[in-house]
Amino acid sequence: QAAGEGVIAGYPIADMRVILVDGSYHEVDSSDMAFQIAGAMALRKAVSEAGPALLEPIMEVEITIPEECLGATSGDINSRRGRIIGMEIKGKMQIVRAQVALSEMSKYTNDLRSITAGRGSYLMHMSHYETVPHKIAQPIINQYQSAKNQEEVVH
């Protein structure tokens, strides 16, 4: 349960294995709830000491645009923390392949339409996960910690 709630920003913990090497049971003090609390506390401590990182989905994007829009499109991809990984010419159109964080793609349809005067299109699919840059992760973590602290004060 604690792994599903995360430790640093409330997101589930991924790619982790836990091995319990020792434990004991006492008829008076041991209960299901006591073991859950102990496990959650141990998980939080171990994860905090391990140097956790936030991960974000990275999308593989294929953008088809008129040749004259290549510069503006490349600049736009770079401004979205994207990496261009390839280009090819197909008639009078350019096909740009890039990897971009999903969080940066929310308004891309409108922006591409503006850049290409409605003549561009794109396809995207999930590629992999990468660590969120510190300058973006820190405000997310701070907001979660602040909300968590306020919740504890209320209770």
Side-chain angles (χ1 to χ4, degrees):
Q1 183 179 350
E5 296 170 3
V7 174
I8 60 172
Y11 297 107
I13 298 171
D15 298 330
M16 177 188 69
R17 183 173 72 176
V18 176
I19 299 171
L20 179 61
V21 293
D22 190 24
S24 62
Y25 177 83
H26 187 270
E27 287 189 30
V28 175
D29 296 328
S30 297
S31 68
D32 182 49
M33 184 57 76
F35 282 110
Q36 287 182 32
I37 292 169
M41 289 171 61
L43 178 79
R44 285 187 195 102
K45 183 176 185 219
V47 168
S48 295
E49 291 176 4
L54 288 180
L55 300 178
E56 66 182 338
I58 303 297
M59 307 305 286
E60 185 90 25
V61 185
E62 183 178 286
I63 310 158
T64 304
I65 54 170
E67 286 182 83
E68 63 270 14
C69 300
L70 182 59
T73 301
S74 297
D76 185 60
I77 291 297
N78 288 329
S79 74
R80 295 171 188 274
R81 299 187 293 128
R83 290 184 301 269
I84 295 176
I85 55 175
M87 291 186 229
E88 76 179 63
I89 298 171
K90 191 171 190 179
K92 292 185 177 186
M93 301 295 273
Q94 287 275 346
I95 298 175
V96 178
R97 288 184 179 76
Q99 292 180 337
V100 185
L102 178 60
S103 63
E104 301 289 339
M105 295 297 293
S106 64
K107 297 178 182 169
Y108 191 64
T109 300
N110 291 337
D111 294 342
L112 182 63
R113 190 174 296 137
S114 295
I115 291 169
T116 64
R119 297 175 294 161
S121 63
Y122 74 100
L123 300 170
M124 72 176 176
H125 64 273
M126 175 67 183
S127 175
H128 62 282
Y129 287 94
E130 285 185 8
T131 303
V132 177
H134 180 75
K135 70 178 183 175
I136 294 170
Q138 201 55 55
I140 295 168
I141 294 167
N142 291 344
Q143 181 181 9
Y144 172 75
Q145 297 295 339
S146 175
K148 190 173 176 184
N149 290 340
Q150 287 178 353
E151 188 178 289
E152 289 174 3
V153 169
V154 171
H155 291 110

